[in-house]
Amino acid sequence: MADIELKKSRKRRHCCPNLPAKRRLIDPAQSSQRRLVLYTSSSELLKCLGLFLCRRCYKLDLSPTHAIGWLRNIDNYLLIMGYQPVSFLSSGSVVFLYMLCRDLISPEADSVEQLQVSLLTCYFITHCYTGNENGYPETPFLVGSRTAFWDRCLSYISIMSFKMMQINSNRQIYSETLAELKAIGR
């Protein structure tokens, strides 16, 4: 019996050579850093995003529900047309969208249309980067010229590429961005 146990343990080590022989103790400080993720509902985060946009674009006569309405209309359109099986507006996608808006939407927006153009471009990039589908139609995201839309997309991606990869791969950056967005609603 002991001979069989010895053979099994040898096979395990041989087939999985990269696994450590002993379990490592996790440093409590590192463990708490990994658990920074806070839970917040997507509707609460959308309200915070709407407040952020109103504060950022203080010159405009805008309520937080305007921007949320634009996003929900596109989300519903994509659901009805079959481009996505469930709502895209999850906590993760709203945090990603907030990161783009925070760095790309100018406080100097002169009109609601200018804000809508920038927000919907950020939303399209969020869909393309974090969405389930291989491609989304540009039509529901378009406000104005198709050429200007694609130029804006390329410009935004060029500016934000590093941060988009960073928030996707680093839990702490995601958690900090989530906490920042959540703090706007307080």
Side-chain angles (χ1 to χ4, degrees):
M1 189 70 153
D3 191 36
I4 293 172
E5 293 288 325
L6 184 61
K7 285 181 182 178
K8 283 184 180 178
S9 68
R10 282 184 188 157
K11 282 185 180 179
R12 241 183 262 131
R13 274 192 232 129
H14 177 69
C15 96
C16 303
N18 296 330
L19 292 178
K22 295 181 181 177
R23 292 184 180 189
R24 291 183 299 157
L25 294 175
I26 297 174
D27 179 20
Q30 288 178 345
S31 177
S32 65
Q33 286 177 352
R34 290 183 184 158
R35 293 185 196 151
L36 285 174
V37 177
L38 309 167
Y39 175 76
T40 308
S41 70
S42 57
S43 59
E44 184 181 341
L45 290 177
L46 280 169
K47 288 176 189 172
C48 293
L49 179 64
L51 286 170
F52 164 77
L53 292 169
C54 285
R55 291 176 187 163
R56 170 63 58 98
C57 302
Y58 61 91
K59 295 178 185 177
L60 303 178
D61 183 28
L62 182 74
S63 77
T65 57
H66 274 96
I68 294 169
W70 300 331
L71 301 175
R72 286 194 189 278
N73 284 342
I74 291 173
D75 194 51
N76 289 333
Y77 173 84
L78 294 172
L79 278 167
I80 290 167
M81 298 306 288
Y83 286 103
Q84 57 192 26
V86 294
S87 175
F88 178 75
L89 291 170
S90 66
S91 296
S93 63
V94 175
V95 170
F96 189 92
L97 177 59
Y98 165 71
M99 179 197 66
L100 293 178
C101 292
R102 177 190 65 196
D103 292 355
L104 296 170
I105 292 183
S106 170
E108 303 302 317
D110 294 331
S111 67
V112 173
E113 185 178 326
Q114 188 178 358
L115 170 62
Q116 186 180 24
V117 163
S118 293
L119 176 62
L120 296 186
T121 303
C122 291
Y123 192 42
F124 180 77
I125 293 168
T126 302
H127 265 275
C128 292
Y129 194 81
T130 64
N132 295 328
E133 300 301 318
N134 290 334
Y136 289 93
E138 66 189 14
T139 308
F141 301 92
L142 276 178
V143 177
S145 158
R146 178 172 268 122
T147 304
F149 172 77
W150 286 109
D151 288 343
R152 221 174 14 264
C153 282
L154 292 174
S155 171
Y156 286 6
I157 290 168
S158 171
I159 293 166
M160 296 300 294
S161 180
F162 178 73
K163 286 187 178 182
M164 291 189 307
M165 290 188 301
Q166 206 174 27
I167 197 170
N168 198 32
S169 63
N170 188 327
R171 282 189 219 168
Q172 186 163 358
I173 291 173
Y174 173 84
S175 297
E176 289 168 359
T177 308
L178 172 60
E180 184 182 319
L181 176 58
K182 200 173 171 184
I184 292 168
R186 291 185 193 141

